[in-house]
Amino acid sequence: AQLEPYILLPEKTTRRERGTQGAFQDRPKREWTTTSTRPEAGDTGIRKSMTYARMAPRPVEINTADTTALIAMPGIGPAFARGIVKYRDMLGGFVSLDQLAEVYVLKDKPDALLKLKSLLILDPQAVLRIPINTCTEEELAAHPYARWKVAKPLIAYRSQPGPFTDVTAIRGCAVSSEEVFRKLAPYLSVE
């Protein structure tokens, strides 16, 4: 009873109300802060009140984040996080946040994509590149933008004129359309 004036609890909600709030997924993380007030008559010490301070989520770098860092973001659950990391690993990293639309679990969720783009940052230097002059057909075919349909003719084309001097030289291959080049070129190197 003596401590009751100092206790502040969040408002109580019923189970039904919680269900309509999306199981609290959209709420930002909160942190306790304390504020001191002047002692009132009869108080023996400083009275502190505890309040919630809303914390803005920190942007997460998509190419180096693990599933735990992604799950900690508002609106991202374990399935989204696993899907993003799995697709990122297949690509070798994201070169654009627009590529999130290609992630299987996010394909039909434009609202989630918009929210994610505002919470993520991108470091293109973290992208793994495939050395086009020394890779095998299998290594190139493992990339989602190449697969066997592009990998086999591209490796065969490499053997005719010799090693590529520049990534743009792959445009000479018949299967390297403008779309294939635009998507695949950021993932290739001539080292």
Side-chain angles (χ1 to χ4, degrees):
Q2 290 177 340
L3 295 176
E4 189 174 351
Y6 303 104
I7 298 173
L8 293 175
L9 296 174
E11 293 180 30
K12 292 184 180 181
T13 58
T14 64
R15 214 177 255 196
R16 179 174 286 161
E17 289 172 344
R18 276 183 267 160
T20 61
Q21 294 173 356
F24 301 108
Q25 288 180 349
D26 296 327
R27 291 187 179 182
K29 290 190 172 190
R30 296 179 180 174
E31 180 179 281
W32 285 104
T33 59
T34 59
T35 55
S36 298
T37 58
R38 293 173 32 149
E40 296 178 8
D43 283 348
T44 56
I46 296 177
R47 194 166 80 186
K48 294 186 178 191
S49 64
M50 306 208 58
T51 58
Y52 277 123
R54 293 198 182 263
M55 300 292 293
R58 289 187 193 164
V60 173
E61 203 291 310
I62 189 72
N63 285 331
T64 56
D66 60 359
T67 55
T68 307
L70 292 173
I71 291 171
M73 297 174 59
I76 297 183
F80 279 7
R82 280 191 306 270
I84 291 168
V85 169
K86 181 179 178 183
Y87 192 66
R88 178 196 67 199
D89 291 345
M90 285 176 26
L91 283 174
F94 293 103
V95 293
S96 167
L97 289 177
D98 293 333
Q99 290 174 292
L100 287 170
E102 300 168 11
V103 176
Y104 179 74
V105 295
L106 296 173
K107 281 188 178 183
D108 297 328
K109 297 174 179 61
D111 294 338
L113 280 171
L114 211 70
K115 188 174 182 179
L116 275 175
K117 287 180 182 180
S118 68
L119 299 172
L120 298 171
I121 56 174
L122 185 70
D123 179 14
Q125 299 301 321
V127 174
L128 299 174
R129 290 177 174 46
I130 302 168
I132 191 66
N133 287 325
T134 58
C135 70
T136 64
E137 285 180 11
E138 291 82 15
E139 291 170 333
L140 188 56
H143 196 278
Y145 294 156
R147 300 291 182 203
W148 287 103
K149 188 177 180 180
V150 173
K152 286 183 96 165
L154 201 55
I155 298 300
Y157 179 77
R158 174 182 73 188
S159 63
Q160 291 173 2
F164 296 108
T165 57
D166 191 335
V167 173
T168 58
I170 69 168
R171 286 183 166 164
C173 182
V175 295
S176 183
S177 66
E178 189 58 37
E179 182 183 355
V180 169
F181 176 77
R182 182 183 52 79
K183 288 177 139 184
L184 191 57
Y187 295 98
L188 300 176
S189 72
V190 290
E191 296 174 358

